[in-house]
Amino acid sequence: MRTDARPGGAVRGDPPDDPLTEALRTGPFHLALRTAVRRRGLALHRIRHHLAEQGLQVSLTSLSYWQRGERVPARTESVQVVRALEHILDITPGALVRLLEPAPGATAGTPRAARRYQELIGSDTAILHLLEQLDCPTEDRLHTVSQSEQVHLGPGRELWRREIQQLVRAHRGNVDRYVSIYEGDPGCDITRVRVDPLDNCRVGRVRSDRAASLLAVELVFDRPLTLGETQPFRYRITDGTGGECTEYTRGFRYPVGHYLLQVYFTPPTLPVRCYRFTRRSAQAPRHRVTQIPLNGYHSAHLTEQDAGPGIVGLAWEWD
């Protein structure tokens, strides 16, 4: 019986910064599964054979979907397969199953699955068109481990500037860039929006849609990442051309370890009240609406710890 109880539950003897150890510690499930399969050196058809020897039937298609994050084991019998996978892949019992547990605040029985990009943005084809111009797959190759954003509103109630500090992890090898999407408020002149790299990245290709007030920008790293490798980077977006701003949201396709959003207002133009909320998608109604105070520094904030996929945001009301 194994007694290795180090965080993450990788095989005994792995160094603390081993990609499998880290993937099992932070997820998401499909990245941990893919990393474990690669470490073990087994093809999917061999894994399926080992499962069949234990009386567990699962299709190659399902295994492939699980590895890519397009599906997640949810049924009781599927979770039994995951427990068997832990044995086949020689990792600590429970290490993969733990990544299927619901995020705090999620509906019971809802797994920590990835969400398809289209589930978040709905029918907004303009965003998809920009991503296509950058040859960026919507089932992207990175996920956010942690993120901190500072959003500043100007005296005219406009969104003036936002600064983002982000830590991402590669789902596969040879990933050397992150694509950031910016959507301006009504009246925004997207041609005047500026993107400044601040740390560990540079600006690559930029594409815009003036009619939709959309901007897509590549933030390029200094080298390609390997599977499971992380990359911190920081950048700033300056606008100030749009009309009155009444909310700010951030969508996540994968579970995120930590997210902090701070919104700063410029006196004397202050909101009368602020709220935090979540949404399942861009067109969905707000849920978990909670009023939050404006502090003495004229800012409001929200923080999410170990949150599941979806949209979180702050909204405010002007007088």
Side-chain angles (χ1 to χ4, degrees):
M1 183 174 65
R2 245 177 297 204
T3 58
D4 182 10
R6 290 186 296 104
V11 295
R12 186 195 301 273
D14 285 341
D17 59 349
D18 175 78
L20 178 56
T21 301
E22 186 68 11
L24 288 168
R25 185 177 68 85
T26 63
F29 171 81
H30 76 276
L31 174 61
L33 176 61
R34 184 189 303 137
T35 307
V37 169
R38 180 170 295 188
R39 165 66 66 84
R40 193 73 170 84
L42 289 175
L44 290 185
H45 73 274
R46 293 301 304 162
I47 293 175
R48 182 173 182 270
H49 175 74
H50 287 305
L51 289 169
E53 288 182 330
Q54 300 180 43
L56 298 169
Q57 302 298 325
V58 61
S59 69
L60 288 176
T61 300
S62 293
L63 290 173
S64 179
Y65 280 163
W66 293 356
Q67 273 201 124
R68 299 201 303 267
E70 296 183 18
R71 300 285 189 279
V72 68
R75 298 179 302 169
T76 300
E77 52 269 36
S78 296
V79 175
Q80 291 174 346
V81 171
V82 175
R83 295 189 187 280
L85 285 172
E86 293 170 343
H87 176 73
I88 294 168
L89 300 174
D90 194 27
I91 56 179
T92 302
L96 282 174
V97 171
R98 180 186 65 84
L99 298 175
L100 297 173
E101 296 171 356
T107 304
T110 302
R112 299 169 59 83
R115 299 276 302 282
R116 296 182 67 86
Y117 203 88
Q118 289 85 342
E119 291 183 76
L120 287 182
I121 67 172
S123 58
D124 194 340
T125 56
I127 293 179
L128 297 178
H129 181 61
L130 287 184
L131 293 174
E132 288 174 0
Q133 292 181 49
L134 294 175
D135 305 313
C136 178
T138 57
E139 307 308 316
D140 53 14
R141 300 182 174 96
L142 297 164
H143 82 276
T144 297
V145 178
S146 64
Q147 184 165 341
S148 175
E149 295 192 79
Q150 292 185 341
V151 176
H152 295 261
L153 272 69
R157 302 180 177 180
E158 78 283 6
L159 196 157
W160 170 43
R161 185 182 74 224
R162 67 173 186 167
E163 187 170 312
I164 303 99
Q165 172 78 47
Q166 201 160 345
L167 177 67
V168 296
R169 174 172 289 115
H171 290 175
R172 58 194 67 187
N174 201 35
V175 183
D176 67 350
R177 65 199 61 207
Y178 173 85
V179 175
S180 178
I181 299 289
Y182 176 74
E183 181 176 10
D185 289 307
C188 166
D189 182 353
I190 205 69
T191 64
R192 294 168 56 192
V193 174
R194 190 175 75 245
V195 180
D196 297 303
L198 301 178
D199 193 24
N200 290 327
C201 64
R202 62 177 175 83
V203 171
R205 294 176 295 174
V206 178
R207 299 291 184 270
S208 63
D209 184 328
R210 189 166 187 172
S213 298
L214 285 171
L215 185 73
V217 56
E218 291 180 331
L219 298 163
V220 184
F221 310 141
D222 64 327
R223 60 177 178 80
L225 304 180
T226 59
L227 172 67
E229 189 176 4
T230 55
Q231 171 77 8
F233 60 101
R234 186 165 57 97
Y235 62 102
R236 180 174 57 231
I237 298 178
T238 305
D239 186 354
T241 68
E244 183 178 283
C245 181
T246 58
E247 71 170 37
Y248 185 88
T249 60
R250 169 63 61 183
F252 295 103
R253 291 190 51 239
Y254 300 96
V256 60
H258 180 258
Y259 176 63
L260 170 64
L261 170 61
Q262 297 171 278
V263 178
Y264 294 84
F265 301 91
T266 301
T269 311
L270 302 176
V272 294
R273 59 184 61 86
C274 298
Y275 304 89
R276 60 173 294 161
F277 63 91
T278 63
R279 281 195 185 111
R280 180 166 176 80
S281 67
Q283 287 79 31
R286 294 174 181 173
H287 290 287
R288 297 170 58 196
V289 179
T290 306
Q291 187 167 342
I292 58 175
L294 193 69
N295 66 23
Y297 299 98
H298 315 301
S299 74
H301 80 278
L302 71 80
T303 181
E304 292 282 342
Q305 189 76 27
D306 199 27
I311 295 174
V312 297
L314 283 176
W316 47 90
E317 296 176 6
W318 303 106
D319 56 13

